[in-house]
Amino acid sequence: FYFVFPIIGLLLVFLIKKYVIKKPVGHGIPSTLYAISKLKSLLPRHQMWSSLITAPITVGFGGSVGLEGPTVATGAALGSNFGNTFHLNQATRTLLIGAAAAGAMSSIFKAPIAAILFAVEIFSLDLTLASIIPLILASITAILTSYFFSGNDVLFHFQLQDKFQLIDVGFFVLLGAITALTSIYFSKVYFFVGDFFKKLGHPLKRLLVGGVALGVIVYFVPPLFGEGYEVINNLLIDNYAGVLKYNFFNIPTDNSVMILIMLSGLVLFKVFATSITFGAGGVGGVFAPTLFTGSITGYVFAKFVNYLNIFDHQLSNSNFALVGMAGLMAGVLHAPLTAIFLI
């Protein structure tokens, strides 16, 4: 089923796009940025609902992408079309797009301040009183609505176990450099795989090649199935055994070297799985894959330093997993303030 499900999901998305939507579905944040810069902040009407159907099918059937980008894009389309209906000017439409995006982010992560900064950083909004008040109103309204429907349920069930210590600062700087390199790897692979699939031409050909490739990767590496928040939550409580228990070769997880190799493999293959999902026609975002690879990068770094045992001081695996998420988000999305406040 791990092998078959991604192919079924991609086929369903292909059929929905071809026979129901009948128009291309943009990939989350990039399509929104394109609309702001090239289309006078006018997003197509179908974007208000198309991602809500295609993205959950992609992810639910094992596509290795996230749901945050499509949620933001859906909110942005609602803001854009609301502004267009009332014949508002381009500047106001752009502000509505930012407010809707902030609302979406706020409700997903239960982080209203990070959501406001996300809208300012990603959509290059001016930090003036005229823009900050709508962003605050949208963000707070969204999080209150989210609490009303989903209670206190959150994506990351994290309790700070170890204190952040001054002695760790040098290691955090080094981790920053490593997450930067991982970000470059992420971007290079993403565009390389994307270009490869463009050369395949027909969408069905891309679907077949991508579906089989993704199925093989997920079959041998089950933690790459879907968004991967279970993996992140396990690492945040220092439970690497919960991440590696489903490995195809039944490799024991009591050997530190094997743990480091297997976790590093998750980083390498997650980027390919994400890129293949997009190339094959899946709909999703890179937010969740970024957090996934960041958490593992930080965790592996701390685990490796502790394994070397050169220093008397032991690093906190969970804290470094957390900071790794911020580092990779800053590197891939170019949104350092969002990364800081979200984490």
Side-chain angles (χ1 to χ4, degrees):
F1 287 120
Y2 271 122
F3 174 73
V4 173
F5 279 151
I7 301 171
I8 296 172
L10 290 169
L11 180 61
L12 287 172
V13 169
F14 170 77
L15 293 173
I16 291 168
K17 287 199 288 189
K18 187 173 176 64
Y19 296 107
V20 179
I21 302 169
K22 298 179 181 177
K23 290 175 183 175
V25 180
H27 286 302
I29 296 166
S31 63
T32 307
L33 289 172
Y34 181 80
I36 291 171
S37 62
K38 301 289 185 182
L39 306 176
K40 297 181 179 178
S41 297
L42 290 169
L43 281 150
R45 286 184 177 273
H46 74 81
Q47 199 70 47
M48 292 189 289
W49 56 270
S50 56
S51 292
L52 289 180
I53 299 172
T54 53
I57 291 173
T58 301
V59 175
F61 279 91
S64 205
V65 290
L67 293 172
E68 296 77 19
T71 309
V72 169
T74 302
L78 286 166
S80 172
N81 283 281
F82 179 85
N84 194 37
T85 302
F86 287 94
H87 306 290
L88 302 176
N89 59 31
Q90 183 181 346
T92 310
R93 282 198 305 270
T94 304
L95 181 56
L96 282 170
I97 287 173
M105 285 293 294
S106 176
S107 59
I108 291 168
F109 291 108
K110 300 282 202 297
I113 304 300
I116 293 166
L117 289 167
F118 169 80
V120 171
E121 276 192 306
I122 298 297
F123 300 121
S124 303
L125 298 177
D126 293 327
L127 256 181
T128 62
L129 197 65
S131 62
I132 204 70
I133 290 175
L135 291 174
I136 291 171
L137 286 172
S139 188
I140 299 300
T141 304
I143 195 171
L144 290 174
T145 308
S146 176
Y147 274 119
F148 180 78
F149 282 103
S150 60
N152 292 322
D153 190 34
V154 291
L155 285 174
F156 302 117
H157 305 279
F158 181 74
Q159 295 289 329
L160 194 66
Q161 302 291 333
D162 307 311
K163 290 182 178 179
F164 281 85
Q165 301 181 53
L166 192 61
I167 194 172
D168 292 339
V169 169
F171 293 107
F172 284 125
V173 172
L174 189 56
L175 175 62
I178 291 169
T179 52
L181 294 173
T182 309
S183 302
I184 294 167
Y185 167 76
F186 192 110
S187 301
K188 294 284 186 186
V189 170
Y190 177 84
F191 288 116
F192 173 79
V193 173
D195 290 341
F196 169 77
F197 274 93
K198 282 176 187 173
K199 291 174 185 174
L200 291 178
H202 198 278
L204 273 176
K205 196 174 179 182
R206 294 182 202 168
L207 190 156
L208 193 62
V209 173
V212 170
L214 183 62
V216 169
I217 291 174
V218 171
Y219 180 77
F220 285 105
V221 194
L224 300 183
F225 188 95
E227 285 187 291
Y229 281 125
E230 186 183 350
V231 171
I232 297 171
N233 279 317
N234 273 316
L235 292 181
L236 291 180
I237 58 172
D238 201 4
N239 179 27
Y240 62 84
V243 176
L244 303 176
K245 61 182 175 182
Y246 303 117
N247 66 78
F248 180 81
F249 302 102
N250 293 316
I251 297 168
T253 56
D254 54 357
N255 184 301
S256 294
V257 175
M258 283 312 304
I259 293 166
L260 289 170
I261 291 171
M262 291 170 72
L263 287 174
S264 299
L266 287 181
V267 173
L268 296 174
F269 286 108
K270 178 66 174 181
V271 182
F272 275 99
T274 298
S275 306
I276 289 167
T277 304
F278 284 126
V283 177
V286 297
F287 224 97
T290 300
L291 295 174
F292 181 98
T293 49
S295 65
I296 298 176
T297 302
Y299 189 91
V300 167
F301 173 80
K303 195 89 177 163
F304 179 68
V305 172
N306 291 338
Y307 172 73
L308 292 177
N309 204 24
I310 299 172
F311 310 94
D312 295 331
H313 175 64
Q314 289 281 299
L315 303 182
S316 167
N317 294 329
S318 57
N319 285 2
F320 273 79
L322 202 64
V323 175
M325 291 161 69
L328 215 78
M329 196 188 303
V332 173
L333 301 178
H334 292 183
L337 287 175
T338 303
I340 291 166
F341 279 84
L342 182 67
I343 299 304

